[in-house]
């Protein structure tokens, strides 16, 4: 399982304030803490700063790359911001990721040339002009079209991370099931691609959200999910992912489980 650390996001009040205050130490600590706790990518988002997003994104990427040897996940729909960030990103830590392209015409038409030009991984969001899909079949139809176009533009299947979009189960009891079924469809029918999502949307509007999120990630891993956008400092979430992969047959001789046990990562 690949982990994308979600904490350097300007929509979080403390992070937005740190960016505005040019608080280098806070941003670097967030990057370091996430990398040390298992993040394979550090998501970087400055989207709330209209007119200043590009400058802040560049500042954040420089700080993250000074602090950790982990590639960035460039979280912006703005092609100018993405282009600038990709040119700035140093690949010594690995290939960067762009979050995200979709079938919405403006985002698709403007971002596709940028992504095709640069060597990067990309999150392919199951969103179209019709809005957010509700069924597994609708999600798959968007994913199939988007993946085919990306591959035609020279992007390898292994560099495509399909996000079928988690929607709150508090608004429709079937949203969790439909999402899980879409993960299975994508992973079995679209050869070579990955799936990714932010887990926390499933519990929006409900109490005890962490319990729902942690259980949901186990179910998603069993369906084939191989990348998650989460807080890697949530020790219980990370433990649940390790257990899920072991039970799903993705942990040869249970070596990852045993390593986590020896490191005292499980609570009794």
């Amino acid at each position: 399982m690949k982990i994308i650390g979600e904490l350097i996001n300007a929509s979080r009040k403390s992070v937005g304030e740190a960016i505005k205050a040019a608080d280098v130490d806070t941003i670097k600590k967030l990057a370091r803490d996430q990398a040390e706790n298992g993040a394979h990518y550090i998501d970087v988002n400055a989207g709330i700063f209209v007119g200043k997003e590009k400058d802040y994104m560049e500042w954040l990427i420089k700080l993250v790359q000074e602090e950790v040897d982990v590639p960035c996940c460039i979280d912006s729909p703005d092609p100018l911001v993405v282009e600038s960030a990709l040119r700035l990103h140093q690949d010594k830590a690995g290939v960067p990721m762009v979050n995200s392209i979709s079938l919405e015409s403006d985002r698709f038409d403007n971002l596709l040339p940028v992504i095709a030009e640069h060597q990067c991984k990309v999150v392919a969001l199951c969103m179209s002009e019709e809005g957010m899909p509700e069924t597994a079949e609708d999600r798959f139809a968007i994913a199939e079209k988007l993946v085919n176009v990306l591959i035609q533009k020279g992007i390898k299947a292994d560099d495509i991370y399909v996000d079928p979009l988690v929607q709150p189960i508090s608004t429709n009891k079937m949203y969790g099931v439909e999402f899980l079924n879409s993960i299975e469809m994508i992973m079995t029918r679209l050869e070579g691609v990955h799936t990714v999502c932010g887990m926390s949307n499933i519990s929006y509007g409900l109490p005890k959200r962490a319990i729902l999120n942690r259980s949901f990630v186990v179910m998603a891993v069993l369906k084939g999910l191989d990348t998650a956008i989460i807080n890697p400092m949530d020790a219980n979430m990370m433990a649940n992912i390790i257990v899920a992969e072991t039970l799903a047959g993705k942990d040869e001789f249970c070596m990852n489980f045993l390593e986590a046990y020896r490191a005292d990562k499980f609570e009794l």
Side-chain angles (χ1 to χ4, degrees), residues 41-53:
Y41 292 86
I42 304 296
D43 192 77
V44 180
N45 180 298
I48 67 168
F49 297 106
V50 178
K52 295 184 177 180
E53 184 186 4

Side-chain angles (χ1 to χ4, degrees), residues 18-19 21-30 32 59 63 66-67:
I19 293 172
D23 185 345
V24 170
D25 291 342
T26 293
I27 300 301
K28 284 191 170 185
K29 186 176 189 303
L30 282 172
R32 183 173 64 254
W59 181 74
L63 292 183
E66 285 174 6
E67 190 65 22

